[in-house]
Amino acid sequence: MTLGEIATPALILDLPAFEANLAAMRQACAARGVRLRAHGKAHKTPELARRQIADGGSAGICAQKVAEAEAFVRAGIDDVLVANEVVADGTIDRLARLSATARMAVCVDDATVVPRLGAAVRRHGGTLGVVVEIDVGAGRCGVSPGTPAADLAATVAAEPGLRFAGLQAYHGAAQHLRTPDERAAAIARAVDLVRQSLAALERRGIPCPDVTGAGTGTFTLEAASGVYTEVQAGSYAFMDADYARNTPAEDAPAFAHALFVLATVMSTAGSGRAVVDAGHKAASIDTGLPVVHGRPEIAYVGASDEHGVVTDPASTLRLGDRLLLIPGHCDPTFNLHDHVVAVREGRVEAVFAVAARGKGW
Ligand SMILES: *Cc1c(COP(=O)(O)O)cnc(C)c1O
């Protein structure tokens, strides 16, 4: 099949661009001496995680939810960090079950969860890595850096069945600060808070195997910090429209747009505009509307459930014409699709199941 024959709206992966992004990230991490653990929440697609590990230098994968991790493990990925807190009994039990067959780790930011994790893991006969998450400025999850982080690590280290696996210091709010200077300032503060936490761990005699964190917007900073050992970037493989609004740092690798929503013009009845068959059920709009790829004269200006309104001042669009839309935000866009159509030079090479799509429990 060619692009022109695919039923729309369809999620499209440009394989050469995806492969180039994997190679650029692999080289960037290797050059800076840090491990990559790509974040699978970006794509929820086991085959793409498998390629990130096989070709992209990723040591394992991150998942954000246990059900997402289950989909990856079921597909044969055997090293997963749930880079998030898990607190419900049933979810802890499912995580512990995974820990009996795969190398699993999870974040904590509350000491009351630790004995519950330990009991569940012992019940299932596994071992679980536990990463203490610290809040390095994002104002989301995470204990305070320094002594509180070391106290929680000591609780983890004392719990049979659990292995203290290090610190998670992810600064989500820094990823989309637009200028390199703003991002550098935010990550410099984060690095300082990591250092305070490492010092507190050392005072208690607790070795810290890893410091994990970082996303596509800032990873070169964490990688160069001398304290982070692992990078969790996810969006780099796809590059959405929102990430393209960041001014890249000079030493950062260039990533190409690899993810698109293919849409068909379904109406030209209005004047000065056309309507495509991809609305916000095909491309997420939480960080802005899609951008039309390769057609700077056409702007996507309005999304409803199943319609996208595009400007067409010169009335060049015809019924049935196809447009490639760059989604505003790749992660929730993947979550809208059952399949991603992998294309090379305009021809379909494979169709991958977005197997963890909708798996948020
Ligand atoms: C989303 C996320 C990432 C990856 O961020 P990108 O911006 O997609 O590279 C890494 N770590 C955590 C904890 C995240 O939530």
Side-chain angles (χ1 to χ4, degrees):
M1 269 193 178
T2 63
L3 266 186
E5 294 169 291
I6 299 169
T8 63
L11 190 64
I12 304 290
L13 183 68
D14 182 90
L15 280 170
F18 172 73
E19 289 161 4
N21 291 342
L22 296 199
M25 180 56 93
R26 185 185 65 225
Q27 285 154 17
C29 287
R32 291 166 177 82
V34 289
R35 186 190 316 126
L36 172 66
R37 178 182 291 278
H39 209 312
K41 86 175 197 279
H43 51 68
K44 293 175 158 281
T45 304
E47 177 57 26
L48 299 185
R50 199 190 62 71
R51 288 175 188 226
Q52 285 175 312
I53 292 167
D55 311 324
S58 191
I61 210 82
C62 294
Q64 208 75 318
K65 297 301 185 92
V66 171
E68 202 171 80
E70 286 170 336
F72 288 136
V73 171
R74 210 176 291 131
I77 289 160
D78 61 2
D79 185 346
V80 183
L81 164 63
V82 177
N84 204 357
E85 280 67 15
V86 173
V87 302
D89 283 333
T91 321
I92 287 176
D93 189 70
R94 283 167 33 234
L95 174 66
R97 193 172 344 146
L98 287 179
S99 78
T101 59
R103 184 178 168 83
M104 300 297 302
V106 70
C107 290
V108 293
D109 72 357
D110 193 305
T112 64
V113 178
V114 173
R116 295 168 56 219
L117 286 171
V121 164
R122 292 192 298 277
R123 199 161 58 238
H124 287 281
T127 61
L128 180 66
V130 176
V131 176
V132 169
E133 179 160 26
I134 58 175
D135 179 7
V136 289
R140 197 167 71 176
C141 297
V143 289
S144 298
T147 306
D151 289 347
L152 185 51
T155 306
V156 171
E159 182 70 32
L162 305 185
R163 155 174 65 77
F164 172 59
L167 300 174
Q168 172 158 305
Y170 174 65
H171 196 327
Q175 301 308 314
H176 290 87
L177 296 173
R178 294 306 181 201
T179 70
D181 285 351
E182 290 170 290
R183 296 195 297 275
I187 299 306
R189 280 192 296 276
V191 167
D192 191 45
L193 296 170
V194 171
R195 284 218 170 86
Q196 290 174 27
S197 306
L198 291 173
L201 284 167
E202 203 177 318
R203 281 196 300 275
R204 297 194 64 143
I206 303 171
C208 183
D210 270 305
V211 177
T212 186
T216 300
T218 65
F219 77 93
T220 53
L221 298 161
E222 285 93 335
S225 68
V227 297
Y228 284 77
T229 59
E230 186 174 271
V231 160
Q232 304 176 345
S235 302
Y236 74 96
F238 311 106
M239 279 309 284
D240 53 34
D242 194 30
Y243 258 124
R245 287 188 275 268
N246 275 13
T247 305
E250 266 168 36
D251 67 341
F255 297 113
H257 291 300
L259 187 73
F260 304 94
V261 173
L262 182 66
T264 301
V265 174
M266 58 185 282
S267 170
T268 56
S271 89
R273 67 171 190 269
V275 180
V276 296
D277 58 358
H280 59 71
K281 285 184 181 172
S284 86
I285 58 171
D286 61 303
T287 63
L289 293 171
V291 170
V292 181
H293 181 60
R295 299 288 296 267
E297 78 284 13
I298 298 171
Y300 188 110
V301 291
S304 47
D305 279 14
E306 316 285 3
H307 299 84
V309 177
V310 299
T311 57
D312 184 22
S315 294
T316 52
L317 290 173
R318 299 287 169 261
L319 279 190
D321 281 359
R322 290 182 161 221
L323 296 176
L324 282 170
L325 309 177
I326 304 165
H329 192 180
C330 56
D331 313 56
T333 298
F334 264 104
N335 195 47
L336 296 169
H337 295 266
D338 288 328
H339 299 100
V340 56
V341 183
V343 170
R344 194 181 302 278
E345 281 150 23
R347 299 198 75 84
V348 175
E349 184 169 302
V351 178
F352 303 136
V354 187
R357 175 258 170 108
K359 297 201 166 20
W361 58 89

